[in-house]
Structures are given as structure tokens and as C-alpha cells.
Amino acid sequence: MDGSGQVKREKGFSTRAIHEGYHPADEGGALTPPVHFTSTFTFPDVESAGAAFSGEQPAHIYSRISNPTVDLLERRMASLEGAEAAVAFASGMGAITAVFWSLVEPGDEILVDKTLYGCTYAFFNHGLAKFGVRVSHVDMTDEVALETALKSRPKIVYFETPANPNMRIIDIRRTATLAGAAGARVIVDNTYASPCLTQPIALGADMVVHSATKYLGGHGDLIGGLACGTQEIMDQVRFYGLKDMTGAALAPFNAMLILRGLKTLGLRMREHSASAGIVARFLEARPEVANVAWPGLESFPQYELAARQMQLPGGMIAFELKAGKDAAITFMNRLNMIQRAVSLGDAESLIQHPASMTHSTYTPEEQAEHAITPGLIRLSVGLEDVEDILADIAQALST
Ligand code: 7XF
């Protein structure tokens, strides 16, 4: 309670996405935060520079390590993910690689889900594995298989939910409980859901990573990444993973664009979800379509888990045509408005073929093993009028 007898509560998600961490009065009344275009920071004397370098006196030193504009984005994202701290990166892969270089050593085992974004899969299996880290894959939707895999006591448990590209949902609370009991840290790639729809840390995860290129930025005009977690781990990730191992620092201009994107994240996710629901139901009713994976469909195998774990089902759909891969490619080539492109979460609807595009880092045998089917189509439902999205799909299916 405060003096007025009101119960104090944390401000809402969109309010924090707009205001968190910034006070116009500190910047001459400027409504929007200034962008600090600077590579380095000056010191009045060498002694204070030394105190900053030793960590005795916190200060910005050099923009590969920290920058006031990037710092504001990090504070805002930490708030939205319910984390103590966050670190921003030049890309989602920058975030993922810096986190792993910071936390694993040769001989460690990491346990990762069956389906991962193609470059994450390549980093684990071709990158980390080369440096003596054991990478084990398990289907984390299968509790028995997960419990068995945890018996070898991996250091880290890592998954995406919904998974790119096939929309499998992992139960964060259950996985975090089992992993925690086995002494593993849990890291969730929250790119598909965004913190607006899923809050992994509140469900027991230790860390969250993002490709900010997607819903967080939201406008297809930048590449960026974020990691969120405890202050202690984020310090390690910043002062080792970012500073020394990857150098994948986010530019202040891109931090400003992501800050601008975050202001409308709630608004956009509600619209993406609403339109995706209409598109998913339309696809499901079409005779040419074999199956549709969208977490809000009653036919979705993990419908109840998704309803429990996600505020809304989101804007991503995966589907297959009855006539298979060649028909899928012909269908995609016939689209007029919906753009054939990788990436997702933009205002423009984007469609792509995971087997030959985002997930071509898997061999065909690996794709078969990891539930990435040859005819799978991935659609990121944009913010255009939904009637126009439906009309484009209808003409491409039927001509
Ligand atoms: O380094 P990026 O900002 O592109 O982010 C990497 C990344 C990390 N996690 C997930 C779940 C992702 O989807 C991505 C990037 N995926 C894009 C896509 O699936 O279309 C990349 C285009 S190849």
C-alpha cells in the first residue's frame, strides 16, 4: 500500500515498453530518448579511467561494452522479460553465441530440443561440438525422454517455444522444474512468442535469448539480439561473451529502432495473433491443405499447453499441402502480396520454405530426424488487412 491506500502494482506491459527507464526531465525534456552516437567515452583523469576499467566505479568505457542508448534498451527488455538484467547484441546469433561462450567449457554437455532454428543448430553441432562441448538432442515434448536425457546431468537445457519452424511448444514450467532438479540451467529462445505472449523467467527459466530482428524490432529494418537473466550471469555474458569472445555489440541506432519497435509490441502482437487465427482457420478449411500448426487451433496437438503458457497464440503458422513439396513451392511462387523471404515478425507477411531456406543447415537426413518435413511452409502473418492476406493465399492455392 502507498500513502493513498492504493495497492502498489507494477505498471502494465505496454506502459513499461513505452516508459521504462527513461525520464524526459533528465534529457532537457526530450520526449524520446537521445541516441548516443559515440564509440568511446572520456574521463577527466587517468585515475577515474582506471577505476572504470577495474569495475570499482561503474561507467561507460567503450560502446562494444556498453552505451547509454543500448543500456536503455537493455533495462527496458529486462523489465519486459521480468529479468534482473539484459545485454543487447548485433544479432540473435550474437546473443546465443555470447551466452554459450560465456557459460560452457570443453567436456560440458548441453541438452537441446529436437527442433531449433537452422543457424542455432549449426552453432551447436558444428561450432560448439568442435570445441569439445557435447551436444545432445532430445524431444522436450516427451517428458520421459527428457527425464532420461537429464540423467547425464547436462550443464544447460536449451529450447525454442514455439519452435522454429514447426511450432512445437515446450512446457517451460515442467522443463524448468525437471532441469533445475538435475542441476541444469534453462535457456529459452523466446523469439517467436516475444515477452508479450510468453514470460519464460516467471515460469522458471534462468535466461531468455532473442532475435530482436523479429517481433521486438518489428519493422524488418534491423538485425539485433538480446539476452536476459540474472545480473551475475549477464555481467559474465557482457564482460566475457560480448567484450572478448564475440564483439557482437548492437549499434546505438539499431537500439533506438528496437526501442521504437517495443512501444507497439503489445499492439502488434494482438493484431498478428488475430489475423493469424483467421488465416489458420481459412487454411484448415481448404481442401488443398493437409495440416495447419497454429497454437490457437483446437486441432493443434498442444492446444491446451499453448493456452496455458501463451497470452495469445502469436503470428506464426506452419502448414503442409496434400500435394506435397512441389505443390508447396508452386503455391509460394504464385503469391503476389505475401513476400518470399526469411525472417518473421514484420508488418509485411513473409513466407518461406524451411527445408531449402532457414533450415538448410540441416542435412536432409537431419531434417527428417528433427521434424522439419520437406513440404513444410512457414508463414509469418503480417499486419496488412487480413482480407488481402486471405485473397492472396486463395488465388495462389486455386490458380
Ligand atoms: O541472428 P538473427 O537476429 O537472425 O537471429 C537468429 C535467430 C535466433 N532464434 C530464432 C528462433 C530465430 O528464428 C533466429 C533467426 N531466424 C530467421 C528466420 O527463421 O527466418 C533468420 C533467417 S535465416
Side-chain angles (χ1 to χ4, degrees):
M1 301 265 239
D2 63 16
S4 64
Q6 298 281 306
V7 174
K8 272 204 173 157
R9 66 168 190 90
E10 193 177 35
K11 294 223 165 42
F13 183 88
S14 287
T15 306
R16 284 178 287 131
I18 294 167
H19 292 286
E20 182 73 27
Y22 180 65
H23 307 284
D26 297 342
E27 298 289 351
L31 176 66
T32 58
V35 184
H36 294 263
F37 288 119
T38 186
S39 48
T40 195
F41 298 83
T42 65
F43 294 93
D45 47 52
V46 174
E47 289 81 357
S48 47
F53 271 81
S54 70
E56 195 183 309
Q57 189 60 50
H60 295 295
I61 295 172
Y62 187 59
S63 285
R64 171 154 43 78
I65 309 165
S66 70
N67 168 285
T69 311
V70 178
D71 181 65
L72 176 59
L73 169 64
E74 292 168 344
R75 285 167 195 271
R76 210 162 269 186
M77 267 305 289
S79 166
L80 298 181
E81 285 287 3
E84 282 176 20
V87 181
F89 296 89
S91 67
M93 287 313 298
I96 294 165
T97 53
V99 163
F100 277 87
W101 291 134
S102 303
L103 299 182
V104 296
E105 287 167 33
D108 285 342
E109 181 193 353
I110 62 167
L111 182 63
V112 305
D113 183 43
K114 182 167 165 173
T115 310
L116 296 169
Y117 162 58
C119 294
T120 307
Y121 179 82
F123 169 59
F124 290 155
N125 291 278
H126 309 150
L128 281 184
K130 204 166 73 181
F131 294 93
V133 175
R134 280 181 300 134
V135 182
S136 307
H137 289 267
V138 69
D139 179 352
M140 292 189 191
T141 66
D142 178 343
E143 189 167 337
V144 176
L146 177 64
E147 280 189 289
T148 306
L150 284 167
K151 289 203 173 114
S152 59
R153 298 191 74 82
K155 194 169 200 179
I156 291 174
V157 166
Y158 182 94
F159 59 90
E160 301 170 359
T161 181
N164 183 358
N166 51 24
M167 305 300 294
R168 295 162 64 258
I169 311 278
I170 310 301
D171 187 331
I172 300 172
R173 193 187 287 283
R174 195 199 57 197
T175 307
T177 304
L178 294 174
R185 277 198 177 121
V186 174
I187 305 178
V188 179
D189 184 330
N190 200 24
T191 299
Y192 259 46
S194 91
C196 180
L197 304 189
T198 304
Q199 305 246 310
I201 290 174
L203 296 171
D206 297 291
M207 292 178 65
V208 166
V209 292
H210 277 282
S211 168
T213 315
K214 314 292 158 51
Y215 289 108
L216 303 182
H219 295 76
D221 50 11
L222 64 95
I223 299 280
L226 279 140
C228 310
T230 61
Q231 186 69 55
E232 189 190 347
I233 296 180
M234 287 302 109
D235 282 351
Q236 239 178 297
V237 168
R238 180 186 306 283
F239 294 108
Y240 183 62
L242 172 62
K243 178 171 81 66
D244 301 339
M245 296 300 282
T246 65
L250 183 70
F253 185 79
N254 284 357
M256 184 277 279
L257 289 175
I258 301 170
L259 283 164
R260 182 159 76 173
L262 287 181
K263 292 186 190 186
T264 56
L265 181 63
L267 202 63
R268 287 185 286 109
M269 292 315 290
R270 288 191 283 280
E271 187 72 8
H272 282 297
S273 287
S275 291
I278 294 169
V279 173
R281 290 194 176 87
F282 174 84
L283 285 169
E284 199 173 40
R286 289 287 301 210
E288 300 89 343
V289 174
N291 54 65
V292 183
W294 181 67
L297 287 178
E298 292 73 11
S299 60
F300 185 70
Q302 298 167 294
Y303 174 75
E304 277 159 28
L305 168 61
R308 217 167 45 237
Q309 184 163 286
M310 302 179 77
Q311 303 286 316
L312 290 169
M316 297 302 296
I317 300 176
F319 63 104
E320 288 177 288
L321 300 184
K322 285 179 188 155
K325 180 187 162 191
D326 292 346
I329 288 169
T330 305
F331 160 74
M332 286 187 266
N333 286 342
R334 280 180 182 153
L335 291 163
N336 295 322
M337 182 192 76
I338 299 171
Q339 300 296 316
R340 287 163 292 276
V342 296
S343 207
L344 56 108
D346 294 334
E348 295 82 358
S349 292
L350 302 177
I351 202 155
Q352 66 111 6
H353 178 230
S356 66
M357 296 168 73
T358 49
H359 291 68
S360 55
T361 47
Y362 292 68
T363 63
E365 297 73 33
E366 288 169 339
Q367 289 181 357
E369 210 178 304
H370 293 263
I372 299 153
T373 49
L376 193 73
I377 301 168
R378 189 188 79 180
L379 175 62
S380 169
V381 177
L383 301 175
E384 301 96 341
D385 293 286
V386 71
E387 297 75 20
D388 295 321
I389 301 173
L390 295 180
D392 200 18
I393 293 172
Q395 68 76 24
L397 278 176
S398 57
T399 46

